[in-house]
Amino acid sequence: MTLNEDNHDETYDVIVVGSGGGLVGAYVAASRGLRTLVIEKTDLVGGTTAYSGAGLWFPGSAPLRRAGVEDDVEDARTYLRSVVDDSSRERLQDAYLRAGAQLIDELEKNEWFQSFVYGPVPEYYPSAPGASPAGHTVFPPPLPVADLGEHLRLMRTSIPAERWGIDEGPVLSGGRALIGRALAAFLETGNGTLRLNTALESLVVEQGRVVGVEAVSDGEPVRFRAERGVVLAAGGFERNRELRGKHQPVARSSEWSHGAPGNTGDALQAGIAIGAATDLLDEAWYVPGLVQPDGRPTFHTGTRGGIWVNAAGERFVNETRPYDQAGHEIVRLHMTTGVSHIPAHWVFDQRQLDRDSFGGPSDQPVSPEWFASGALKKADTLEELAKLIDVPLEALRKTIDEFNGYAHAGVDEKFHRGETAWDQMFHHVLGAAVEPTQNYPAPPTPDWPNPLLLPLDTPPYYVATIVPSDIGTKGGLKTDENARVLREDGRPIAGLYAAGNTAAAMSGHVYPGAGTPIGSSIAFAYLAVLDLVGTVG
């Protein structure tokens, strides 16, 4: 089948709802000769995956072996068991660990996917049993734009390109590289059909089995049948304000999310409507968001300098902590302490600005729009700074004095900033390369023993705003180890599968390592296809 073929067949073997990570599953189905339809709600392919770095947390996979990384799947299993700490998810974890390496082997046989590459990112819980300082994250290789030809026009761009028109250049990387490769591979099987501007409305059920979908395509109602099964891989519900207000612990603007615009929970609600069970609806893949001049946040992976303070003028977290943990901590403290942590205030000084710049290249001044919009404020004294952010002056002064003491000693006695492999890899001075098999000893900054602890003593002072953002919700339909959607009584709904953020995460409430969200999406889409290949229509 071809793209948007006018005389398309209304009956397919497989229907995949969503064109992010599910597109890899669609390729796997189509490559096995199954007539496969992908329906995408928006006019562009890629979903939130296109915004991502496309890291895949795949212990035991071939790219790790090629890179010479010490890699033991049993250690990874021990690590998952420890950090997730939920026996009900162990079968999902085992399926994930089995599928990841197997899927990479299969994809690398196709010239579009080529060889995935290892990227050194330490585990997010470095002290847990089985944790690896080298991590288990692999990435798709970059993809020249020219190789995609006409397929390029179908693809979602990056967030910087969408929001600010930044030119992405002649080579696609990260999520766009993964989506571009999957799209081309899928369409070139000869068995794949893509329908854009086609939104899922409901699932078609006959005699207890899902046999198709009802949708709206370019404003017209349509129905497609699936002889083998339907795979729901349409992202989470992060863009649905009503659902977030119902299930999430803190009411937040859907505009604070980094999920794709079409992720409003349509697939989730379609599953619920036919009796599917759900889990983790109160959860998200949290990230701290740095509020930009346009009033919306961007994914802030960590802070090399300065401090975050709450409404009481107190520091409350290791600011370089892995992003999901930092985001969760903001929400937890806001809910439990009686002190507002939303927004949090990122305070730094001129020394920090001179070393690391802000919002642009280090050799250029801060763009005036930051100050004009109020996204970045400036104060000549601590008194003025306290007034700017409406916090008690003496509490703020005490917090900064305490932090400056840590800076002189080189040890953050309160939150231990700069002591983990993650801190040092991501934020060591000047971004110098560090071997992933070492303990990431950060080189010193002149006059200061810990480059992640520079004192706040060089006016003027600056303050930016941090809010709890996310890269998608992570609660959804309950599934088994074959990605089959389950009823409340634990029985699978025949013909229905879910993957990615449409399904409840195998990692539960935690984010084990870089590439868990996208890795889960494509691994469980793959497992769904393996299961439905043997399903009698």
Side-chain angles (χ1 to χ4, degrees):
M1 306 294 289
T2 57
L3 173 69
N4 287 331
E5 188 175 332
D6 290 336
N7 298 316
H8 63 275
D9 189 342
E10 292 286 337
T11 299
Y12 300 85
D13 294 310
V14 180
I15 296 174
V16 177
V17 181
S19 66
L23 193 57
V24 174
Y27 158 73
V28 172
S31 71
R32 284 162 166 73
L34 300 180
R35 298 164 300 159
T36 305
L37 170 67
V38 173
I39 64 171
E40 164 58 44
K41 179 180 182 179
T42 72
D43 60 352
L44 295 169
V45 169
T48 304
T49 301
Y51 293 155
S52 76
L56 309 169
W57 193 79
F58 281 165
S61 60
L64 299 174
R65 294 195 300 274
R66 291 195 294 263
V69 176
E70 292 186 14
D71 175 41
D72 187 328
V73 173
E74 291 310 310
D75 284 344
R77 196 184 320 276
T78 297
Y79 174 70
L80 270 182
R81 296 284 198 268
S82 173
V83 300
V84 177
D85 193 24
D86 182 349
S87 61
S88 71
R89 301 184 194 282
E90 290 182 0
R91 294 177 70 177
L92 294 175
Q93 293 165 22
D94 292 342
Y96 175 88
L97 291 171
R98 181 179 70 252
Q102 186 176 322
L103 174 57
I104 291 294
D105 287 345
E106 178 167 336
L107 295 180
E108 289 190 338
K109 294 176 182 177
N110 182 290
E111 63 180 5
W112 271 108
F113 289 101
Q114 298 180 354
S115 295
F116 288 76
V117 296
Y118 162 65
V121 186
E123 314 290 34
Y124 292 170
Y125 293 85
S127 61
S132 167
H136 297 96
T137 308
V138 302
F139 296 86
L143 176 65
V145 167
D147 290 357
L148 274 175
E150 67 173 8
H151 299 330
L152 180 66
R153 65 183 175 82
L154 306 174
M155 290 181 50
R156 184 168 298 285
T157 59
S158 66
I159 288 178
E162 284 188 2
R163 284 176 62 176
W164 304 300
I166 294 175
D167 185 2
E168 296 182 294
V171 178
L172 304 181
S173 61
R176 297 202 71 213
L178 179 63
I179 291 298
R181 293 179 183 282
L183 175 63
F186 170 66
L187 293 176
E188 290 183 11
T189 63
N191 299 311
T193 298
L194 172 66
R195 293 285 297 244
L196 301 176
N197 296 305
T198 303
L200 174 69
E201 289 283 294
S202 62
L203 297 164
V204 179
V205 181
E206 295 178 359
Q207 298 180 337
R209 178 183 180 83
V210 173
V211 297
V213 301
E214 291 183 338
V216 174
S217 184
D218 290 320
E220 297 295 326
V222 292
R223 175 181 287 208
F224 302 110
R225 294 188 66 84
E227 295 189 339
R228 298 292 187 97
V230 173
V231 181
L232 301 177
F237 59 92
E238 56 270 12
R239 294 293 190 174
N240 187 317
R241 183 174 298 183
E242 181 180 351
L243 282 179
R244 295 208 80 158
K246 179 179 179 180
H247 297 292
Q248 300 285 310
V250 177
R252 294 181 303 282
S253 168
S254 60
E255 292 301 305
W256 286 2
S257 177
H258 290 75
N263 291 359
T264 55
D266 303 344
L268 169 69
Q269 294 182 96
I272 292 172
I274 64 165
T278 61
D279 194 17
L280 297 173
L281 295 182
D282 60 338
E283 272 290 358
W285 304 97
Y286 283 111
V287 300
L290 173 62
V291 176
Q292 302 289 307
D294 64 3
R296 294 168 55 198
T298 55
F299 185 168
H300 189 63
T301 54
T303 301
R304 289 182 66 212
I307 59 175
W308 297 352
V309 300
N310 58 25
E314 299 168 341
R315 186 168 172 245
F316 59 89
V317 72
N318 169 8
E319 297 86 352
T320 66
R321 191 175 182 180
Y323 43 85
D324 182 70
Q325 297 172 34
H328 268 95
E329 191 68 352
I330 292 173
V331 172
R332 184 188 71 81
L333 293 170
H334 185 81
M335 292 285 293
T336 61
T337 63
V339 176
S340 175
H341 288 72
I342 303 175
H345 309 288
W346 176 16
V347 176
F348 56 98
D349 65 358
Q350 190 65 44
R351 185 205 311 271
Q352 185 67 49
L353 184 65
D354 291 343
R355 187 186 77 164
D356 295 330
S357 74
F358 188 85
S362 59
D363 60 348
Q364 296 181 11
V366 179
S367 170
E369 65 180 340
W370 279 93
F371 295 107
S373 66
L376 186 64
K377 298 181 175 71
K378 180 179 178 181
D380 292 325
T381 65
L382 286 181
E383 290 81 0
E384 184 181 350
L385 176 65
K387 289 180 181 179
L388 277 178
I389 58 178
D390 192 24
V391 302
L393 171 61
E394 290 310 310
L396 180 63
R397 193 189 305 277
K398 179 180 177 182
T399 296
I400 290 176
D401 287 346
E402 180 181 68
F403 181 78
N404 288 349
Y406 299 157
H408 285 276
V411 177
D412 178 1
E413 295 180 7
K414 197 166 211 174
F415 297 112
H416 305 284
R417 188 162 109 193
E419 297 178 13
T420 68
W422 167 267
D423 288 5
Q424 295 171 16
M425 179 210 70
F426 233 96
H427 309 289
H428 64 297
V429 68
L430 301 181
V434 178
E435 291 297 324
T437 55
Q438 298 175 356
N439 291 323
Y440 296 89
T445 297
D447 302 323
W448 306 107
N450 186 335
L452 300 181
L453 300 175
L454 295 189
L456 288 165
D457 60 4
T458 308
Y461 300 96
Y462 300 88
V463 61
T465 300
I466 300 290
V467 297
S469 183
D470 60 68
I471 50 177
T473 52
K474 66 186 302 188
L477 304 177
K478 268 192 174 182
T479 57
D480 67 8
E481 64 273 20
N482 294 309
R484 299 180 299 180
V485 174
L486 302 177
R487 302 181 188 276
E488 291 288 354
D489 62 5
R491 292 181 300 120
I493 298 176
L496 186 62
Y497 303 81
N501 289 343
T502 303
M506 69 90 191
S507 58
H509 295 278
V510 302
Y511 196 150
T516 307
I518 306 300
S520 296
S521 180
I522 70 173
F524 283 100
Y526 175 61
L527 289 167
V529 172
L530 294 186
D531 189 76
L532 61 79
V533 161
T535 301
V536 178

Coordinates of all heavy atoms in Angstrom, one line a residue, residues 86-131:
D86 N 8.0 -3.2 42.6 CA 6.6 -3.5 42.4 C 6.5 -4.9 41.7 O 6.7 -5.0 40.5 CB 5.9 -2.4 41.5 CG 4.4 -2.7 41.3 OD1 3.9 -3.8 41.6 OD2 3.7 -1.8 40.8
S87 N 6.2 -5.9 42.5 CA 6.2 -7.3 41.9 C 5.2 -7.5 40.8 O 5.3 -8.3 39.9 CB 5.9 -8.3 43.0 OG 4.7 -8.1 43.6
S88 N 4.1 -6.6 40.8 CA 3.1 -6.8 39.7 C 3.6 -6.4 38.3 O 3.0 -6.7 37.3 CB 1.9 -5.9 40.1 OG 2.2 -4.6 39.9
R89 N 4.8 -5.7 38.3 CA 5.3 -5.3 37.0 C 6.5 -6.1 36.6 O 7.1 -5.8 35.5 CB 5.7 -3.8 37.1 CG 4.6 -2.9 37.4 CD 4.9 -1.4 37.4 NE 3.9 -0.7 38.0 CZ 2.7 -0.4 37.5 NH1 2.5 -0.7 36.2 NH2 1.8 0.2 38.1
E90 N 6.8 -7.2 37.3 CA 8.0 -7.9 37.0 C 7.9 -8.6 35.6 O 8.9 -8.7 34.9 CB 8.3 -8.9 38.1 CG 8.8 -8.2 39.4 CD 9.2 -9.2 40.5 OE1 9.0 -10.4 40.3 OE2 9.6 -8.7 41.6
R91 N 6.7 -9.2 35.3 CA 6.6 -9.8 34.0 C 6.7 -8.8 32.8 O 7.3 -9.1 31.8 CB 5.2 -10.5 33.9 CG 5.1 -11.7 34.9 CD 3.8 -12.4 34.9 NE 3.5 -13.1 33.7 CZ 2.5 -13.8 33.5 NH1 1.5 -13.9 34.4 NH2 2.3 -14.5 32.3
L92 N 6.2 -7.6 33.1 CA 6.4 -6.5 32.1 C 7.9 -6.2 31.9 O 8.4 -6.0 30.8 CB 5.7 -5.3 32.4 CG 4.1 -5.4 32.5 CD1 3.5 -4.1 33.0 CD2 3.6 -5.7 31.1
Q93 N 8.6 -6.1 33.0 CA 10.0 -5.8 33.0 C 10.8 -6.9 32.2 O 11.7 -6.6 31.4 CB 10.6 -5.7 34.4 CG 10.1 -4.5 35.2 CD 10.3 -4.6 36.6 OE1 11.2 -5.3 37.1 NE2 9.6 -3.9 37.4
D94 N 10.5 -8.2 32.5 CA 11.2 -9.3 31.8 C 10.9 -9.2 30.3 O 11.8 -9.5 29.5 CB 10.7 -10.6 32.4 CG 11.2 -10.8 33.8 OD1 12.1 -10.1 34.3 OD2 10.6 -11.7 34.5
A95 N 9.6 -8.9 30.0 CA 9.3 -8.9 28.5 C 10.1 -7.7 27.9 O 10.6 -7.8 26.7 CB 7.8 -8.7 28.4
Y96 N 10.1 -6.6 28.6 CA 10.9 -5.4 28.0 C 12.3 -5.8 27.8 O 12.9 -5.5 26.7 CB 10.7 -4.3 29.0 CG 11.5 -3.1 28.7 CD1 11.0 -2.1 27.8 CD2 12.8 -2.9 29.2 CE1 11.8 -1.0 27.5 CE2 13.6 -1.8 28.9 CZ 13.0 -0.8 28.0 OH 13.8 0.3 27.7
L97 N 13.0 -6.4 28.8 CA 14.4 -6.7 28.7 C 14.6 -7.7 27.5 O 15.6 -7.6 26.8 CB 14.9 -7.3 30.0 CG 15.0 -6.3 31.1 CD1 15.3 -7.0 32.5 CD2 16.1 -5.2 30.9
R98 N 13.7 -8.6 27.4 CA 13.8 -9.6 26.3 C 13.7 -8.9 24.9 O 14.4 -9.2 23.9 CB 12.8 -10.7 26.4 CG 12.9 -11.8 25.4 CD 11.8 -12.9 25.6 NE 10.5 -12.4 25.5 CZ 9.6 -12.2 26.4 NH1 10.0 -12.3 27.7 NH2 8.4 -11.8 26.2
A99 N 12.7 -8.0 24.8 CA 12.3 -7.4 23.5 C 13.3 -6.4 23.0 O 13.5 -6.3 21.8 CB 10.9 -6.8 23.6
G100 N 13.9 -5.6 23.9 CA 14.8 -4.5 23.5 C 15.9 -5.0 22.6 O 16.1 -4.5 21.4
A101 N 16.7 -5.9 23.1 CA 17.9 -6.4 22.3 C 17.4 -7.1 21.1 O 18.0 -7.0 20.0 CB 18.7 -7.4 23.2
Q102 N 16.3 -7.9 21.1 CA 15.8 -8.6 20.0 C 15.3 -7.7 18.9 O 15.6 -7.9 17.7 CB 14.7 -9.5 20.5 CG 14.1 -10.5 19.4 CD 13.1 -11.4 20.0 OE1 13.2 -11.8 21.2 NE2 12.0 -11.6 19.3
L103 N 14.7 -6.6 19.3 CA 14.2 -5.6 18.3 C 15.3 -4.9 17.6 O 15.3 -4.7 16.4 CB 13.3 -4.6 19.0 CG 12.8 -3.4 18.2 CD1 12.0 -3.9 17.0 CD2 11.9 -2.5 19.0
I104 N 16.3 -4.5 18.4 CA 17.5 -3.9 17.7 C 18.1 -4.8 16.7 O 18.4 -4.3 15.6 CB 18.5 -3.4 18.8 CG1 18.0 -2.3 19.7 CG2 19.8 -3.0 18.1 CD1 17.7 -1.0 19.0
D105 N 18.3 -6.0 17.0 CA 18.8 -7.0 16.1 C 18.0 -7.0 14.8 O 18.5 -7.1 13.7 CB 18.9 -8.4 16.7 CG 20.0 -8.6 17.7 OD1 20.9 -7.7 17.8 OD2 19.9 -9.6 18.5
E106 N 16.7 -7.0 14.9 CA 15.8 -7.1 13.8 C 15.9 -5.8 13.0 O 16.0 -5.8 11.7 CB 14.3 -7.4 14.2 CG 13.4 -7.4 13.0 CD 12.0 -8.0 13.3 OE1 11.9 -8.8 14.2 OE2 11.1 -7.6 12.6
L107 N 15.8 -4.6 13.6 CA 15.8 -3.4 12.9 C 17.1 -3.2 12.2 O 17.1 -2.7 11.0 CB 15.6 -2.2 13.9 CG 14.2 -2.1 14.6 CD1 14.2 -0.9 15.5 CD2 13.1 -2.1 13.6
E108 N 18.2 -3.6 12.7 CA 19.5 -3.4 12.1 C 19.7 -4.2 10.8 O 20.6 -3.9 10.0 CB 20.7 -3.6 13.1 CG 20.7 -2.6 14.2 CD 22.0 -2.7 15.0 OE1 22.6 -3.8 15.1 OE2 22.4 -1.7 15.6
K109 N 18.8 -5.1 10.5 CA 18.9 -5.8 9.3 C 18.3 -5.0 8.1 O 18.5 -5.4 7.0 CB 18.1 -7.1 9.4 CG 18.7 -8.1 10.4 CD 17.9 -9.4 10.5 CE 18.5 -10.3 11.6 NZ 17.6 -11.5 11.8
N110 N 17.6 -3.9 8.5 CA 17.0 -3.1 7.4 C 17.9 -1.9 7.2 O 18.4 -1.2 8.1 CB 15.6 -2.6 7.9 CG 14.9 -1.7 6.8 OD1 15.3 -0.6 6.6 ND2 13.9 -2.3 6.3
E111 N 18.2 -1.6 5.9 CA 19.2 -0.5 5.6 C 18.7 0.8 6.1 O 19.6 1.7 6.4 CB 19.5 -0.5 4.1 CG 18.2 -0.1 3.3 CD 18.6 -0.1 1.8 OE1 19.7 -0.4 1.4 OE2 17.7 0.3 1.0
W112 N 17.4 1.0 6.3 CA 17.0 2.3 6.8 C 17.4 2.6 8.2 O 17.7 3.7 8.7 CB 15.5 2.5 6.7 CG 15.1 3.0 5.3 CD1 14.5 2.4 4.3 CD2 15.3 4.3 4.9 NE1 14.3 3.2 3.2 CE2 14.8 4.4 3.6 CE3 15.9 5.5 5.4 CZ2 14.8 5.6 2.8 CZ3 15.9 6.6 4.7 CH2 15.4 6.7 3.4
F113 N 17.4 1.5 9.0 CA 17.8 1.7 10.5 C 19.3 1.7 10.7 O 19.8 2.2 11.7 CB 17.1 0.6 11.3 CG 15.6 0.8 11.4 CD1 14.7 0.1 10.6 CD2 15.1 1.8 12.3 CE1 13.4 0.3 10.7 CE2 13.7 2.0 12.3 CZ 12.8 1.2 11.5
Q114 N 20.0 1.0 9.8 CA 21.5 0.9 10.0 C 21.9 0.4 11.4 O 21.2 -0.3 12.0 CB 22.1 2.2 9.6 CG 21.8 2.6 8.2 CD 22.4 4.0 7.8 OE1 23.0 4.7 8.7 NE2 22.3 4.4 6.6
S115 N 23.0 0.9 11.9 CA 23.5 0.5 13.2 C 23.2 1.6 14.3 O 23.6 2.7 14.1 CB 25.0 0.3 13.1 OG 25.3 -0.8 12.3
F116 N 22.5 1.2 15.3 CA 22.3 2.0 16.4 C 23.6 2.2 17.2 O 24.5 1.4 17.0 CB 21.2 1.5 17.4 CG 19.8 1.5 16.8 CD1 19.4 0.7 15.8 CD2 18.9 2.5 17.3 CE1 18.1 0.7 15.3 CE2 17.6 2.5 16.8 CZ 17.2 1.7 15.8
V117 N 23.7 3.3 17.9 CA 25.0 3.6 18.6 C 24.8 3.8 20.1 O 23.7 4.2 20.5 CB 25.6 4.9 18.0 CG1 26.0 4.7 16.6 CG2 24.7 6.1 18.2
Y118 N 25.8 3.4 20.8 CA 25.8 3.6 22.3 C 26.0 5.0 22.7 O 26.9 5.7 22.1 CB 26.8 2.7 22.9 CG 27.2 3.0 24.3 CD1 26.3 2.9 25.4 CD2 28.5 3.4 24.6 CE1 26.6 3.2 26.7 CE2 28.8 3.7 25.9 CZ 27.9 3.6 27.0 OH 28.3 3.9 28.2
G119 N 25.3 5.5 23.7 CA 25.6 6.8 24.3 C 25.7 6.7 25.8 O 24.8 6.2 26.5
P120 N 26.8 7.2 26.3 CA 27.1 7.0 27.8 C 26.2 7.9 28.7 O 26.5 9.1 28.8 CB 28.6 7.4 27.9 CG 28.8 8.3 26.8 CD 28.0 7.9 25.7
V121 N 25.2 7.3 29.3 CA 24.4 8.1 30.2 C 24.2 7.2 31.4 O 23.6 6.1 31.3 CB 23.0 8.4 29.6 CG1 22.2 9.3 30.6 CG2 23.1 9.1 28.3
P122 N 24.7 7.6 32.6 CA 24.6 6.7 33.8 C 23.1 6.5 34.2 O 22.3 7.3 33.9 CB 25.4 7.5 34.8 CG 25.5 8.9 34.4 CD 25.4 8.8 32.9
E123 N 22.9 5.4 34.9 CA 21.6 5.1 35.5 C 21.1 6.3 36.4 O 22.0 7.0 37.0 CB 21.6 3.8 36.3 CG 22.3 2.7 35.6 CD 21.6 2.1 34.4 OE1 20.9 2.9 33.7 OE2 21.6 0.9 34.2
Y124 N 19.8 6.5 36.5 CA 19.3 7.6 37.3 C 19.3 7.3 38.8 O 19.0 8.2 39.6 CB 17.9 7.9 36.8 CG 17.9 8.6 35.4 CD1 16.7 8.7 34.7 CD2 19.0 8.9 34.7 CE1 16.6 9.3 33.5 CE2 19.0 9.5 33.5 CZ 17.8 9.7 32.8 OH 17.7 10.2 31.6
Y125 N 19.5 6.0 39.2 CA 19.5 5.7 40.6 C 20.9 4.9 40.8 O 20.9 3.7 40.9 CB 18.3 4.8 41.0 CG 17.0 5.5 40.9 CD1 16.3 5.6 39.7 CD2 16.5 6.1 42.0 CE1 15.1 6.2 39.6 CE2 15.2 6.7 42.0 CZ 14.6 6.8 40.8 OH 13.4 7.5 40.7
P126 N 21.9 5.7 40.9 CA 23.3 5.1 40.8 C 23.6 4.2 42.0 O 24.5 3.3 41.9 CB 24.2 6.3 40.8 CG 23.4 7.4 41.4 CD 22.0 7.1 41.0
S127 N 23.0 4.3 43.1 CA 23.3 3.5 44.3 C 22.5 2.2 44.4 O 22.7 1.4 45.3 CB 23.1 4.3 45.6 OG 21.8 4.7 45.7
A128 N 21.5 2.1 43.5 CA 20.6 0.9 43.5 C 21.4 -0.4 43.0 O 22.3 -0.3 42.2 CB 19.4 1.1 42.6
P129 N 21.1 -1.5 43.6 CA 21.8 -2.8 43.1 C 21.6 -3.0 41.6 O 20.6 -2.8 41.1 CB 21.0 -3.9 43.9 CG 20.4 -3.2 45.1 CD 20.1 -1.8 44.6
G130 N 22.7 -3.3 41.0 CA 22.7 -3.5 39.6 C 22.9 -2.3 38.7 O 23.0 -2.4 37.5
A131 N 23.0 -1.1 39.3 CA 23.1 0.1 38.5 C 24.4 0.1 37.8 O 25.4 -0.3 38.3 CB 23.0 1.3 39.4

